[in-house]
Each structure stands twice: as C-alpha cells, then as structure tokens.
Amino acid sequence: MDRPSPGAAREMADALAAWFEANARPLPWRRSYRPYEVWVSEIMLQQTQMERGVEAFTRWMERFPDPEALARAGEDEVLKMWEGLGYYNRARNLHRAAGMVVERHGGEVPADPAALRALPGVGPYTAAAVASIAHGRDVPLVDANVGRLFSRLFDIDQPLHLSATKRALDGLAADLLPPGRARMHNQALMELGALVCTPKSPRCSACPLDTRCRAKYLDLVFERPVPAKAAEYIPMDVASGLLIHDGGILVQKRPPAGVWAGLWEFPGGAVEEGETPDQAVVREFLEETELEVAVAAPLPRVRHGYTRYRVTLHPFLLTLAGRPRQPALHAAQESRWAGAEELAGLAFPAGHRKLLDKLAASGRLDRLLAGGAIEEEPS
C-alpha cells in the first residue's frame, strides 16, 4: 500500500471538498453544527440507519434541546425517547455524559478529544468526530464508510478489523487531512462512502477520486474490503406472558445492570431443553414473580435479533391459576399493572415492543384489556 504524496493529498482533498459542496445531504445537525447536536447525532447513528437516525434525532431535540435538559430527565423518559434505536447503553451513557458536561464543562460540549473521551460512551471515533465536525479541530477520523473507501482507494488487502490495518487507516486519514478544513473534509469522506463507495453497489463513475482508486485500476472494487470471518448467529427460543388482571397487564422493570437494563418487559425467559414454550412461561412466571399462572391462548410469535442472537419470542395470554397476590421481584426492580396508555409510554426491548405494536395496531390490545378473547394468528 502506497501512501499519498503531499501533492496528491491536496488534490484529493480539493476534489472531495468540491464534491461535498455539491452533494452533501441536508442533515439537521449540519444546519448550525452545534456541538451538542453533532455529539447526539454521532451516538445515534452508531448501529442505526440514517433515515431512522434523523427521525429519532428530531424527536430527541424537541424534548432534550441541550445537555441541561437531558441531564435533568429521568432514565425512564430517556430510554423511552430512545426506543426503536436499540443498544440502550448508548442512551444511558449519553444521559450520564450530559450530567458530566453540565457539572464539569458548564453545559458546553468540550472540544478537546481527551476531554471528550472522558465522557461515558465516547470512544476514539466519536471524540474525533465531535472535535473536528463540531469544533473544527484538525483531527482525522475513520468510520466504517471511510474504512471501506480507503480499502478501495489504496487497495488494502487485509481485513479492516485487524490492528495493523486500523493503524494504516489512521495514517492515511492523517495524510489526507487538509489543515483548517477538518469539518468539511471528514464529512466528505464519510458521505462519499455512504452515498457512492457503497458496500454492494459502488457508483465508481460518480466518484471524484475514481482516477486515483487502486482497486478500480486493478479491477478489485468488489474484492475490497477483504471480508472478515462471517459471524455465527445463535438461535434462541424465549417464552413470555401477558397476564391481565383488573384491566392491566403485568410488566416488570429489569435490574439496573445487565441485558436491557432498566427496560420494561413481560415476565418470561429462555425455553429450556426438554420443555415447550407454554411450559416455559408458566415456570418462568413462578420463578420470577411467585405467581401461579395458566396459559389461556397463544399470541402471534415475534422474531427479532440482537448482537449474535436470533430470537423467536413465544408470547401467551395468561390467567391467574392461584390466588391474586403482589408479584415478587426476583428478576426485576419494580413491577406494575399497566393499561394501554401506560404501556405506550414505557420503554420495552424490541421483541416485546413489536408484540405490543402488533396487538395495538389491530385493536386486539384494547379488547384483551377489556376482557375479550383473542384468536391465534399465523406467525
């Protein structure tokens, strides 16, 4: 891999700047480049598609327009506002970091990359993005889009996740960075990767750097980046129950640490070897809440994925089999009997929210809470 000469780097930076000026998307955090807005956008766009990120960003800014507003909010509200984006630790870290920004920096998001990295949830990339895009600091950055772009421009023949490759990418980003132009230059690189140098259908004819692209010259565009070993996904069956009593459904709040910390859920858990989902939900209810329940009817199954797991959620409508009593909290920090309006205001993991949305969209949630019956639907 040959690194660009200073002259070549300047020409590439100029071509990128002209392309970005003509093709930059009108994203809401680009209107004023407020450091808080840039920071929130960078956290939201981790593991999130742009369209969904823009929608969530707009909603978030209406409720939490500055670090002070976010720091004052309760965790339940923060998690609810984050619902649909997944990876809820991002929201928790953002909430904690907002408090630190208020306490340590007078409510102003710092410009120094080291100070930014001291905030929860801010790693090297996010610190570089906020420092360069929001504050104009001459700090290079490499995200997934830039890594893919560089792998083709400079014909990098090693997987991008390797430490040596990451160091090479950082060096290339530093070589190409034009002094005093980091804000637009870094965005141009990321935008070019997102819109033109895409993973499966790169539009080389629209690229301002196509004449300098080694992979195009060598006919290796579709061979770069070199793929890493494919991830192995683990199937998992989970049973959960909607226990209705006096017009409410039992929900419980997960512990403050661990998977889906602080989110609300319907009690349940993994289906163990040798048992059926309906047997699992009865067992889980007894273990978690000490309530004896019986299965009244199956509800439509829900499939979703997180990290390395591919989950099939088997939900059931339940009735009390024993005497009514206060649910125990063996797997939760709080529980309540929630009606439809309250359920809509709580933050749930993706699978449970999908189930609620499915039932609410058809009107069956209201019928269930009113004591009506439900028929099983095809999954």
Side-chain angles (χ1 to χ4, degrees):
M1 180 192 72
D2 295 326
R3 297 176 72 162
S5 67
R10 284 193 299 271
E11 291 179 8
M12 294 171 76
D14 289 344
L16 275 167
W19 178 87
F20 184 69
E21 184 177 358
N23 294 278
R25 289 172 288 185
L27 302 175
W29 47 89
R30 288 176 176 167
R31 292 171 188 157
S32 63
Y33 291 105
R34 274 208 311 146
Y36 172 67
E37 294 187 355
V38 172
W39 172 36
V40 170
S41 73
E42 289 295 339
I43 299 298
M44 281 191 170
L45 290 177
Q46 297 167 8
Q47 309 293 329
T48 301
Q49 293 179 343
M50 179 63 76
E51 183 177 353
R52 179 178 294 178
V54 169
E55 180 182 346
F57 174 87
T58 303
R59 182 177 69 244
W60 183 276
M61 286 300 160
E62 290 174 354
R63 175 60 188 89
F64 307 127
D66 51 45
E68 289 87 349
L70 178 55
R72 287 194 304 267
E75 184 178 276
D76 279 351
E77 184 181 12
V78 171
L79 295 179
K80 177 59 182 175
M81 292 297 294
W82 196 267
E83 194 174 49
L85 295 175
Y87 299 92
Y88 284 88
N89 275 340
R90 294 182 294 164
R92 295 187 189 91
N93 285 332
L94 195 55
H95 190 204
R96 290 171 53 212
M100 293 172 63
V101 167
V102 172
E103 292 173 7
R104 301 181 184 181
H105 304 284
E108 300 295 330
V109 177
D112 179 62
L116 287 163
R117 289 192 64 179
L119 299 175
V122 177
Y125 163 76
T126 303
V130 175
S132 63
I133 297 171
H135 293 289
R137 291 285 186 98
D138 284 337
V139 181
L141 61 78
V142 177
D143 72 347
N145 288 318
V146 177
R148 182 174 60 255
L149 175 65
F150 282 2
S151 75
R152 290 168 173 165
L153 277 175
F154 301 103
D155 185 31
I156 297 174
D157 60 359
Q158 296 293 326
L160 299 184
H161 72 279
L162 299 178
S163 297
T165 311
K166 290 181 179 179
R167 288 194 296 271
L169 293 172
D170 290 341
L172 289 167
D175 289 345
L176 291 177
L177 182 65
R181 294 161 53 188
R183 169 179 289 171
M184 297 306 171
H185 176 81
N186 284 344
Q187 290 185 99
L189 285 172
M190 293 188 290
E191 198 86 328
L192 187 63
L195 301 182
V196 175
C197 197
T198 56
K200 296 181 179 179
S201 303
R203 298 187 297 117
C204 297
S205 61
C207 179
L209 306 178
D210 66 328
T211 60
R212 294 187 176 275
C213 181
R214 293 291 299 169
K216 181 183 178 185
Y217 174 73
L218 297 170
D219 197 22
L220 293 173
V221 170
F222 292 98
E223 309 301 322
R224 302 288 182 264
V226 173
K229 183 180 179 181
E232 296 181 2
Y233 294 106
I234 302 170
M236 177 183 292
D237 287 289
V238 173
S240 191
L242 275 66
L243 177 61
I244 299 177
H245 180 66
D246 287 341
I249 297 177
L250 180 64
V251 293
Q252 59 184 16
K253 189 177 185 181
R254 293 184 65 88
V259 178
W260 297 320
L263 299 185
W264 292 84
E265 66 175 359
F266 307 114
V271 179
E272 296 182 353
E273 186 175 357
E275 69 179 356
T276 60
D278 58 326
Q279 293 170 335
V281 73
V282 171
R283 172 184 56 76
E284 287 284 348
F285 251 81
L286 189 61
E287 293 175 356
E288 293 186 6
T289 69
E290 297 184 10
L291 294 176
E292 297 180 17
V293 299
V295 172
L299 300 175
R301 288 192 295 271
V302 174
R303 293 179 174 85
H304 67 103
Y306 73 97
T307 62
R308 295 178 56 207
Y309 296 94
R310 293 298 177 264
V311 177
T312 300
L313 176 64
H314 302 266
F316 296 90
L317 177 62
L318 305 177
T319 59
L320 280 171
R323 63 181 179 85
R325 55 175 296 172
Q326 182 67 27
L329 296 175
H330 295 308
Q333 56 178 311
E334 182 183 344
S335 68
R336 65 180 66 168
W337 298 92
E341 185 175 345
E342 188 172 10
L343 288 170
L346 299 177
F348 285 85
H352 291 200
R353 175 51 65 189
K354 287 180 182 178
L355 173 62
L356 274 174
D357 289 347
K358 205 171 188 179
L359 294 175
S362 65
R364 287 176 295 155
L365 181 61
D366 289 336
R367 294 200 298 273
L368 281 173
L369 289 169
I374 188 168
E375 303 81 18
E376 182 178 12
E377 281 195 351
S379 300

